[in-house]
Amino acid sequence: MEYIEITLIIIILIIIPSSLILFWYLNEGNKNGFPTNWPIVGMLPALVKNLDRFHLACIEILEKSNLTFEFMGPWFSNVNFLCTLHPANVHYVMNENFSNYPKGNKFRDIFDFLGDGIFNADFQLWEYHRRIILFFIRHQNFHRFLVNKTWDKLQNGLIPVFDHAAKHAIHIDLQNLFARFVFDAGCTIFMDYDPMTLSTDFPKTPVTDSLNDISSVIFRRHALPSMIWKFQRWVNIGEERKYKKALKTLDDFIYKCIAFKKKEITKKDKNNNNKVSLDLLALYMKEEKGDKFVRDAVLTIFLAGQDGILITLTWFFYLLSINPQVKSKIKKELHNAKPINWENSQELNSKLVYLHASFCEALRLYAPIAFQAKVPIKPDILPSGHHVNPNMQIIIDVYAMGRMKSIWGDDCNEFKPERWITEQGKIKYEASHKFFVFNAGPRTCVGREMAFTQMKLVAATIIQNYEIAPVEGHNVVPDMCNIFFRAKYGFKVRIFRSSE
Ligand code: HEM
């Protein structure tokens, strides 16, 4: 090839795109707040620049664009998406035309570690999982079982650690404590096995740490062209290497639990003891679909439940620490509600309205699963008039939805449990395409009631017996580069026993 041709190719392939990117970097952000759609690279530079404030950028852009914005990725990549919070669009995708919006291959690719579990499943497989899970959590004894197991973990796990921290004036990371709490409680409830991570000697927690590593890699996979992260996975480098290592830790743990349960069942069979323990692991094992299937099923439920609860509890206590008037009202409500029969779920709902409203408000402001992605099977037109196709993801930013002035009013950034209470003193119903934290339509979260029960039990125990003071100077901010909306550096506090 002639020297001049090589120079020309270098200019076209390297120098022009690099200059464009450099030009963008110096100018991005000055186009009325909308990302520039560059030749070749599309809006990718804006995405990369705003990745660690993704949800805040969504709020800014969506408020200006009537709640729907089309993001154009690099040419020939599969990173095109339509970000929408338009209530009619959300309702349409999640309910009206549900069958055109399954989880699909792209979702399964990104969440490959969940295999055939319910999050990745569509159609018959999804119905099958939902049937088993609902059978388990709608069992007449489930509520009592849940309350007893949660009490047990509070009495023998959380309270001793709180007392220890109060006595020795230790700074503790509340988020880390809640992670241990939900991990132990979740393992006990779903697998009948207590890993005892919540104790005063603070044992290492490789499994929960692995789950956190995995979820941050999953977030990154959403933003990158799939060929890049798949190449990294193939050669085992960078974040994908971290992912693989974390997955191994997780698998070792789950397969150990499965093996343990198998032994237990065999032992019971030998002793002619037909009493089946009430846990989800045993239920799935009875289906005889192999260890890998059981692993996928149980891991998914586990992941679904654990992060939602721990994140909500963390932000709830953070919000109380900066809104002491709300805490006083909850304390008063708990005092007036005595005695509380925790085993009666109706009583919890009617007696603890303000506490329930405060959790709804914490969930609105800090949605634990901050976004939902959908891909249509067939091209479609959304109620807002936007065209979508199978090469495009529809992103519903749940965090942004909770903080839109056009949806929640000018006081949308304030923590006001009162907005959830009707004039008759009951909990106000908000449509799921407005309060989307538990998803909507046929795929609505099945663990909502369970989550509220556990969270109320934990909150009541702590609020009635302890004071929590945030450690001064500690930065409490959300981790925006994770599919779960944890506090990035945790929530460091001092614990005091209540004088009351
Ligand atoms: C505050 C706590 C919780 C929040 C915010 C929450 C939120 C969600 C969301 C957003 C989804 C939809 C996920 C998706 O399809 O991509 C979901 C689904 C699900 N959640 Fe929850 N969840 C919570 C607690 C729980 C608990 C305790 C369980 C335990 C049983 C649970 C079980 C499930 C299951 C099985 C699904 C899949 C439903 C389906 O695809 O049909 N969740 N949850």
Side-chain angles (χ1 to χ4, degrees), residues 94 103 107 111 118-121 126 130 133 136-137 142 190 280 300-310 312 363 367-369 371-374 398 436-440 442-448 450-452 454-455:
M94 304 306 300
K103 287 295 175 91
F107 189 92
F111 284 83
I118 189 169
F119 267 17
N120 278 352
W126 166 68
R130 234 181 131 93
I133 300 164
F136 176 65
I137 59 177
F142 181 74
F190 294 124
L280 197 66
T300 306
I301 309 291
F302 202 65
L303 186 82
Q306 123 156 8
D307 274 83
I309 296 177
L310 94 86
T312 311
L363 281 157
I369 302 180
F371 68 93
Q372 170 75 239
K374 288 278 173 194
V398 196
F436 192 64
V437 294
F438 290 104
N439 226 33
R443 292 200 87 128
T444 297
C445 171
V446 296
R448 185 182 173 134
M450 170 179 168
F452 272 112
Q454 281 198 302
M455 294 187 309

Side-chain angles (χ1 to χ4, degrees), residues 7 37 58 75 115 117 142 221-222 280 305 320 335 360 383 414 469:
T7 314
N37 187 13
C58 277
W75 295 357
F142 181 74
R221 283 183 178 182
H222 274 91
L280 197 66
L320 291 194
H335 183 78
C360 290
E414 290 170 38

Side-chain angles (χ1 to χ4, degrees), residues 342-408:
W342 289 93
E343 289 186 7
N344 180 339
S345 55
Q346 273 160 4
E347 190 175 313
L348 295 191
N349 290 339
S350 61
K351 278 191 170 175
L352 302 178
V353 172
Y354 196 78
L355 179 60
H356 192 98
S358 306
F359 271 116
C360 290
E361 189 65 345
L363 281 157
R364 175 183 73 80
L365 287 168
Y366 293 97
I369 302 180
F371 68 93
Q372 170 75 239
K374 288 278 173 194
V375 180
I377 310 179
K378 287 189 272 176
D380 200 0
I381 304 173
L382 300 184
S384 61
H386 290 84
H387 290 244
V388 289
N389 63 60
N391 292 322
M392 196 176 205
Q393 284 195 80
I394 299 172
I395 303 278
I396 303 168
D397 191 314
V398 196
Y399 174 82
M401 190 187 267
R403 290 181 180 249
M404 299 300 282
K405 285 198 173 114
S406 47
I407 297 178
W408 294 97

